[in-house]
Amino acid sequence: MNEITTARLLRASLDELRQARGHLNFSAQRVVQLGDERSDWSEADLEKIEAYTGRFARVVDLLTNKVLRALFAHELESAETVLDRFNLAEKRGFAASAGELRTLKEHRNRIAHDYAGAKMEAIFAFCRATQVQLDTICDRVVAYAGQILSA
């Protein structure tokens, strides 16, 4: 791929991430006043929580699989594996550690595979507790990518 192609791919990935983050923030506002225990949730609340956690997972997925891959491809970095991308993200200061991204990715997988909602309380608590962390990482990646693209 040439520089024009990788820049186009990176811009498209960043735009997708921007949209997904907007949807996540909308859902976060809809669940902000819900309690932490499943026994307090109505069916309508569960629907909001599922939308929120699903959108959280989507942002993690876009960040780790599309945006970081596109960014490192644009920089001509070899980052074929998820671990390669996480290590490079740590090196660039996007996350405090590769482990921070790994934890987000592991929880994304828990969200995706909790078909019956058996772990909904723990998943919801995790998403609430780490959304600021996810936003911070995304903000750093977006700022860095903006500098790279404008250079």
Side-chain angles (χ1 to χ4, degrees), residues 21 24-25 28-29 52 56 59-60 63 94-95 100 104 124-140:
R21 290 179 72 196
L24 174 60
N25 289 329
Q29 291 305 308
Y52 172 66
F56 184 96
V59 168
V60 171
L63 173 68
F94 303 152
E100 186 177 24
L104 288 169
F124 184 46
F126 175 83
C127 293
R128 281 177 144 176
T130 58
Q131 185 180 347
V132 170
Q133 175 187 28
L134 177 59
D135 283 337
T136 300
I137 294 168
C138 287
D139 289 343
R140 290 175 183 158

Side-chain angles (χ1 to χ4, degrees), residues 1-11 74 149:
M1 275 192 266
N2 64 32
E3 187 177 357
I4 293 170
T5 304
T6 60
R8 187 178 310 130
L9 181 62
L10 179 54
R11 282 187 183 94
H74 185 66
L149 289 169

Side-chain angles (χ1 to χ4, degrees), residues 2 6-7 12 23 26 38 40-41 47 49-50 61 72 79 84 91 98 100 103 112 125 128 132 140 144 151:
N2 64 32
T6 60
H23 296 310
F26 174 83
R38 188 182 192 114
D40 298 334
W41 303 335
E47 187 174 50
I49 291 167
E50 286 183 26
D61 228 10
F72 297 137
D84 291 338
K91 185 177 177 182
E100 186 177 24
T103 299
R128 281 177 144 176
V132 170
R140 290 175 183 158
Y144 181 88

Side-chain angles (χ1 to χ4, degrees), residues 13-39:
S13 298
L14 290 167
D15 189 51
E16 215 175 328
L17 180 65
R18 181 192 54 75
Q19 290 177 37
R21 290 179 72 196
H23 296 310
L24 174 60
N25 289 329
F26 174 83
S27 286
Q29 291 305 308
R30 299 200 20 115
V31 299
V32 74
Q33 294 188 347
L34 295 181
D36 295 330
E37 295 185 27
R38 188 182 192 114
S39 59

